[in-house]
Amino acid sequence: MTDPRRLLPAVDALLAAPDVAALARVHPRSLVVRAVRETLEAARANSGATPAEGWGPAVRACLERLAAPSFVPVINATGVVLHTNLGRAPLAATALAAMHRIAAGYASLEYDVGRGSRGSRQRHCRDLLVELTGAEDALVVNNAAGALLVALSALARGGEAVVSRGELVEIGGSFRIPDILARSGTELVEVGATNRTHRADYEAALTPGTRLLLKVHRSNFQVTGFTAEVPAREIAALARERRLASLYDLGSGLLVDLSPWGLAGEPGVRDALASGVDLVAFSGDKLLGGPQAGILVGTATALIACKNDPIARAVRADKLTLAALEATLALYRDPEAARREIPVLRMLTTDPAELRQAAEALARGVGHGSEVIAGESEVGGGSFPGAKLQTWLVQLAANRLTADDLAARLRGRDPPVVARIQDDRVVLDPRTILPGQFEVLGGAVRAALDG
Ligand SMILES: *Cc1c(COP(=O)(O)O)cnc(C)c1O
C-alpha cells in the first residue's frame, strides 16, 4: 500500500487552490507560503491525513495564528493593581491622548519652537517634576534601574558606594541591585546584618575611596521582628558631614498621600527629598501610574553630573514616554484629579462598597452558580508590600472543570482573561477590571463555563 504521506499535495498545488489563492490577496505571500508549509507539515506528522476541516480552512486557521500579534491587551481580573507581567500601570486618558498626538507626526522633542533652535528633551517633564516634588532639578530616563545606573556612575564611579545588607533587593526579572551597581563602575560595600544596620556600621565602612551612601527602599518585602535601619535623614546627614554623595532608591514614585485609604508606610517622593539626600530615584510606572520611566530628582549639582554622564544618553527616555509622563504629571497639580483619573490611583482607592456592587453585577451576568465572596486585592509592583486591600470577589463554580482548566479556558478567550486561583477556585477581582471590560468579561466567562 502507498504511504499516504506520499500523496500529500505539493506546496505549489495548495497555493494555487482557489481558497488558498484568495488568502494571498489579503495577506503577505510569504506568510501564506509559511502557513501552507506548516499545514502540510502537520498533516505529515498526522500520518498524512487530510485535515478534517479541509485544506483551505486548515491553511486559513494556521495563517490567522501566524498573523496574530503576540503582544495583546488582556483583562486583568487578578486584583493585583501593579501587575508586572501584565504591564504595570494602565495609563490615564490624557496620557494616551498625548502619546497619540506626539506619535502621529513630528514634535518639539528637542526643538525650541520660540527660538527656532535646538532644545532639550528633558525640558518637557523637568519643570513639572520640580513643581510637584520641590526638587531643584530632575531627569527622566528609560526606567528606574537605568536611573540608578546613571546616578551611581555620575556620583561614585571609580569609588565605593556603601549600602545596608538589609536593603540589597532583587527588583524583579531576577536582577539585583548589586549587579546594577557593579555595572556602574562603583564598588559596593555592604554593611550591617540582614535584619539590623546602624549608623556606626556606615561610619566604620568609610574609607578615602568612599564616594556615596546609598539607601534602598525595601519595596517588595518586609523585614519584621528584631530589626533596625538607618533612616534616610541620618544617611543624608552623615554623607554631608563626610562630604559624600547620597542617593535614595525609592522604587515607587508616590506623589499623593494614600493613608486615608489604608495605604501607609510607603515613603513619598517629597518626604524622601526632605530627608536631605542629594538624589532620589523612582519608577514612572509604579505608584506614579504613568509610563515606564526612571526619574531622578534632587540637587542641581547632582543632576548636572547625571545629565553629563554618558550613561544618561544610553538610557534616555523616548518621545512617547515623555509625552505620557508629562500628561500624567500634569494631573498631579490637582491631587483629587490625579486620584480620579490615574487608573492605578483610582483602583487603589476604590470604595469596597463600589467593588461589591461591581462584583454582584458581574456574578449576575455570569450566572452558572457564581458567588460573591469577601477577599483581598494586592498593590503589586513592589509597592506597599504586605498591604491588603479589602475587596469583593466573584467566585466561579467550575462544575466538572478543574480550576486550572477553567483558568486556561479564560486565558484562551479574545481578549485573554487572567484570573486568580484561590482555594482551588477561580476568582475574579473587579478592582483591576477596567470600566469598559465588564460586559466582554461576562460573555467570556459564560462561554468558558459552557464550552
Ligand atoms: C522597582 C524597583 C526598581 C526598578 O525599577 P524599574 O522602573 O522597574 O527599573 C529599583 N529599585 C527599587 C527599590 C524598586 O522597587
Side-chain angles (χ1 to χ4, degrees), residues 88 143-145 148 169 171 177 216-217 219 249-251 283 285-286 293 382:
R88 286 193 189 161
N143 58 15
L148 283 179
V169 300
I171 56 174
I177 296 278
V216 183
H217 173 54
S219 55
D249 173 16
L250 209 51
S283 291
D285 56 344
K286 292 185 180 172

Side-chain angles (χ1 to χ4, degrees), residues 123 165 380 420:
R123 177 175 53 105
R165 278 203 179 83
R420 177 157 38 117

Side-chain angles (χ1 to χ4, degrees), residues 300-437:
T301 325
L303 275 144
I304 286 175
C306 291
K307 288 176 185 180
N308 289 332
D309 193 283
I311 291 182
R313 173 62 181 80
V315 297
R316 77 178 182 188
D318 80 297
K319 61 182 180 179
L320 300 184
T321 299
L322 294 170
L325 187 61
E326 183 183 26
T328 307
L329 290 170
L331 291 171
Y332 278 98
R333 283 178 161 147
D334 173 357
E336 192 44 37
R339 202 186 60 72
R340 241 184 3 250
E341 293 180 38
I342 295 174
V344 166
L345 298 183
R346 191 185 61 231
M347 289 178 192
L348 290 175
T349 59
T350 310
D351 185 5
E354 204 177 303
L355 292 166
R356 185 175 198 167
Q357 272 181 4
E360 280 167 355
L362 181 59
R364 271 196 306 279
V366 167
H368 289 78
S370 57
E371 287 172 277
V372 174
I373 59 168
E376 285 167 342
S377 324
E378 265 179 63
V379 181
S383 307
F384 292 109
K388 294 289 178 200
L389 299 161
Q390 196 208 331
T391 193
W392 294 89
L393 304 167
V394 177
Q395 178 174 267
L396 303 180
N399 305 326
R400 5 168 258 304
L401 290 171
T402 66
D404 283 333
D405 286 341
L406 179 56
R409 281 193 187 180
L410 289 169
R411 291 196 309 274
R413 305 298 307 175
D414 179 18
V417 176
V418 183
R420 177 157 38 117
I421 296 179
Q422 175 178 303
D423 302 327
D424 266 340
R425 303 286 290 274
V426 174
V427 294
L428 309 171
D429 188 336
R431 186 184 298 274
T432 49
I433 301 165
L434 302 178
Q437 294 178 328

